[in-house]
């Protein structure tokens, strides 16, 4: 309820509304409170939608859109050239999907993402481009100039068979690597 003093000193009733009173003594009317809550909820939902738009729903990795955004945001040609791009493809994945079904295939894709991330330990960005294709984009300065040790570590992560849905399968992959990137080289990849 809101009252205002009258000229004669009495209090005049103005209106009443539900609201929230804060410790410092002021009250926000329900419409202001609802607006603030609605705006907060919208910001949260916008962040969730942006996250969903850039994330592969199966693996939780970044998706092709996030990959394209990362390439487009290269600040300078020199910084772009300090990056390395690896493209990884699972060998004979189609036959695994055909023989054991998409549930097994999906589990292998998810485990592939986990294994790559375990090797990289957040030193690089991993993207699922689609199907059984993955991309790894990293800046060589903190990791080192030569990508060969990283390639070998990723290949070693595939030495153990994949165990999923009561099926144990040996999975191998092929990795292509491009250093001293240029926008043209990435677009061709």
């Amino acid at each position: 309820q809101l009252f205002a003093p009258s000229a004669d000193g009495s209090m005049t009733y103005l209106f009443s509304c539900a609201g929230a009173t804060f410790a410092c003594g002021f009250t926000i009317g329900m419409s202001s409170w609802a607006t603030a809550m609605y705006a907060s909820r919208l910001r949260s939902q916008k962040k969730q939608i942006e996250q969903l738009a850039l994330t592969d729903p199966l693996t939780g990795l970044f998706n092709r859109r996030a990959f394209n955004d990362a390439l487009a945001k290269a600040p300078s040609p020199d910084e772009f050239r300090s990056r390395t791009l690896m493209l990884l493809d699972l060998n004979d994945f189609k036959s695994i999907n055909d023989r054991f079904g998409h549930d097994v295939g999906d589990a292998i894709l998810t485990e592939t993402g986990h294994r790559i991330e375990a090797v990289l330990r957040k030193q690089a960005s991993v993207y699922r481009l689609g199907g059984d294709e993955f991309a790894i984009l990293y800046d060589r300065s903190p990791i080192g100039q030569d990508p060969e040790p990283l390639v070998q570590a990723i290949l070693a992560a595939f030495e153990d068979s994949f165990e999923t849905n009561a099926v144990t399968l040996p999975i191998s992959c092929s990795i292509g690597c491009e250093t001293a990137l240029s926008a043209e080289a990435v677009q061709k990849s």
Side-chain angles (χ1 to χ4, degrees):
Q1 294 181 348
L2 184 61
F3 294 89
S6 299
D8 66 347
S10 66
M11 298 299 279
T12 303
Y13 175 80
L14 296 175
F15 68 93
S16 175
C17 82
T21 302
F22 294 90
C24 58
F26 68 92
T27 302
I28 292 181
M30 196 56 174
S31 63
S32 297
W33 177 258
T35 300
M37 293 303 294
Y38 182 70
S40 175
R41 184 175 294 151
L42 280 178
R43 281 190 299 274
S44 174
Q45 289 174 342
K46 181 182 177 194
K47 188 175 182 177
Q48 287 177 321
I49 289 169
E50 288 170 352
Q51 180 72 23
L52 288 172
L54 300 174
T55 305
D56 176 59
L58 178 64
T59 62
L61 299 173
F62 290 120
N63 62 15
R64 181 182 294 275
R65 181 177 181 182
F67 177 70
N68 290 335
D69 287 353
L71 295 178
K73 291 178 184 174
S76 71
D78 288 336
E79 185 172 315
F80 200 69
R81 282 189 284 276
S82 73
R83 294 183 181 179
T84 292
L85 171 65
M86 294 183 190
L87 296 176
L88 182 145
D89 186 77
L90 299 180
N91 297 330
D92 299 319
F93 182 74
K94 184 182 179 327
S95 65
I96 292 168
N97 248 352
D98 291 345
R99 182 172 175 200
F100 297 102
H102 290 282
D103 288 343
V104 170
D106 289 352
I108 288 172
L109 293 171
T110 301
E111 178 63 20
T112 295
H114 292 163
R115 290 185 186 197
I116 295 170
E117 285 187 318
V119 169
L120 298 174
R121 294 186 210 108
K122 300 193 185 235
Q123 296 178 13
S125 297
V126 183
Y127 306 85
R128 178 171 175 235
L129 301 179
D132 64 336
E133 297 173 345
F134 295 82
I136 300 162
L137 187 62
Y138 72 92
D139 184 347
R140 288 189 307 277
S141 359
I143 296 177
Q145 294 298 321
D146 184 13
E148 184 64 24
L150 193 53
V151 169
Q152 292 305 319
I154 293 169
L155 291 173
F158 283 81
E159 289 175 359
D160 292 333
S161 294
F162 284 61
E163 295 180 28
T164 178
N165 299 359
V167 177
T168 302
L169 297 168
I171 305 292
S172 63
C173 67
S174 300
I175 301 175
C177 195
E178 177 75 35
T179 58
L181 292 178
S182 67
E184 298 80 27
V186 171
Q187 288 173 349
K188 288 178 185 176
S189 298

